[in-house]
Amino acid sequence: DFLALTEMVSFGELLRRGVLKKLTLRCAVHFVSHQWLGNEHPDPEGIQLRRLQKVFRDIIACRHEDLFREVDWKVLATGISSGTGLHAARWEAAAETMGTVSSFTPEAFALQTSLSYVWIDFSCIPQLSDLSLEQTGCVPEDAAVATLKGDQAEAISSIPAYLERADYFWVLAPSAVHTGTGEVSNFWT
């Protein structure tokens, strides 16, 4: 469960834990774009993870007014930026589950978010860090590295398909300092 994470976890680690789930057509997807805040890990201090978890908790608690200006909520509620015909079907499924009319309300958004998937590169694309000395107990073999690089390249080339499938696109950019460079990262960088 995304809200229970205490750190951003790699694809390989999620695979080892057996917690990756197959996407269904009726479930919403939140695609998250972010800057890496470290050289080896995207969020070494957990700043981005905690911020995104707070956003999702606020949505689930129907506190949309804490997150969106009224005009932004109206744009979101009309579905103008959805881009796919599946968006409406997912709202109908959420409304049907709640026993309400199919409309974008804070309650329907909360339910849909609580049942949705989160797509973040580090957790959804194979990472070379999964073959590190610490995790394998030995230096990774060239064949294993080559295989992982191929899997990673295929996943990266599939990003447009992930974006097309996503219902929501989030820019995760809280103000934070990159641990490797000391530079400030935020929405403007």
Side-chain angles (χ1 to χ4, degrees), residues 16-36:
R16 273 190 286 285
R17 292 180 189 178
V19 297
L20 292 177
K21 297 178 182 174
K22 187 168 181 152
L23 186 63
T24 66
L25 286 178
R26 292 180 68 101
C27 287
V29 175
H30 295 266
F31 186 100
V32 181
S33 175
H34 66 105
Q35 268 185 306
W36 278 45

Side-chain angles (χ1 to χ4, degrees), residues 107-119:
E107 295 78 16
F109 191 32
L111 177 64
Q112 185 190 50
T113 299
S114 71
L115 301 172
S116 64
Y117 293 92
V118 178
W119 193 99

